[in-house]
Amino acid sequence: MFIRNNGYVYGPRFEAGQTMQMKFYVPANDQVALYVVGKKKGESSPISYTLVKDVKGWTKDGKANRIKRNTTIATTKGTHSGTFMKDVYWNQSYIGLSSSSNSQWLSAQTEGYCSVPSGSKDDISVNFVNAGEETVNITIK
């Protein structure tokens, strides 16, 4: 979990291999928030955690806001051949102006798609169902 804003990254690290709930929303103009329920790295009990950051240009009414969901693998500098993520499953994704005014995230609210980067030497597979449901596997070669 993290929010990246102007090159700075904010947020805790969570354990792999768990099902988590995430909610991204705009609590006020020029702010974004990410709410997560899950186990932090090294902890045994789940916590709820909300990260709120100032981000110029985001509006509570949703006009002109753009959100991009990425499934990526991050490593420190150097060679990491064999590093992998398996069965990252996005599902039950909803999009709307509020928790009571949302709908399942399907292609109607989606401007475009990116899949496996062209020329990638890594092993990347995406089982795409719709904009709110897919399974991703990544192995660095």
Side-chain angles (χ1 to χ4, degrees):
M1 166 203 192
F2 69 89
I3 291 177
R4 183 180 177 129
N5 180 25
N6 295 325
Y8 296 97
V9 176
Y10 308 91
R13 291 188 64 192
F14 285 85
E15 286 285 352
Q18 66 175 308
T19 299
M20 297 176 61
Q21 175 191 5
M22 300 173 76
K23 185 187 292 187
F24 178 84
Y25 60 98
V26 180
N29 289 339
D30 296 323
Q31 283 189 330
V32 296
L34 183 59
Y35 166 84
V36 175
V37 176
K39 288 187 263 183
K40 280 177 55 174
K41 192 160 181 66
E43 300 289 327
S44 59
S45 299
I47 62 159
S48 61
Y49 186 90
T50 302
L51 179 62
V52 179
K53 294 309 298 171
D54 293 334
V55 180
K56 187 176 180 178
W58 282 76
T59 59
K60 189 155 177 67
D61 67 9
K63 293 181 180 175
N65 292 352
R66 298 286 184 262
I67 185 172
K68 177 171 52 172
R69 185 190 72 223
N70 290 313
T71 303
T72 61
I73 188 168
T75 63
T76 57
K77 291 181 181 181
T79 304
H80 298 280
S81 180
T83 300
F84 65 91
M85 284 189 338
K86 298 288 184 192
D87 299 322
V88 176
Y89 180 52
W90 293 94
N91 70 336
Q92 298 180 19
S93 302
Y94 289 81
I95 192 165
L97 295 176
S98 71
S99 292
S100 61
S101 172
N102 61 31
S103 60
Q104 188 176 3
W105 189 358
L106 301 170
S107 60
Q109 305 95 342
T110 302
E111 193 171 292
Y113 300 95
C114 288
S115 59
V116 178
S118 62
S120 175
K121 64 179 180 168
D122 299 319
D123 183 15
I124 303 169
S125 68
V126 179
N127 180 8
F128 179 83
V129 176
N130 59 49
E133 183 176 356
E134 68 183 12
T135 303
V136 181
N137 294 289
I138 302 171
T139 301
I140 298 177
K141 291 187 175 182

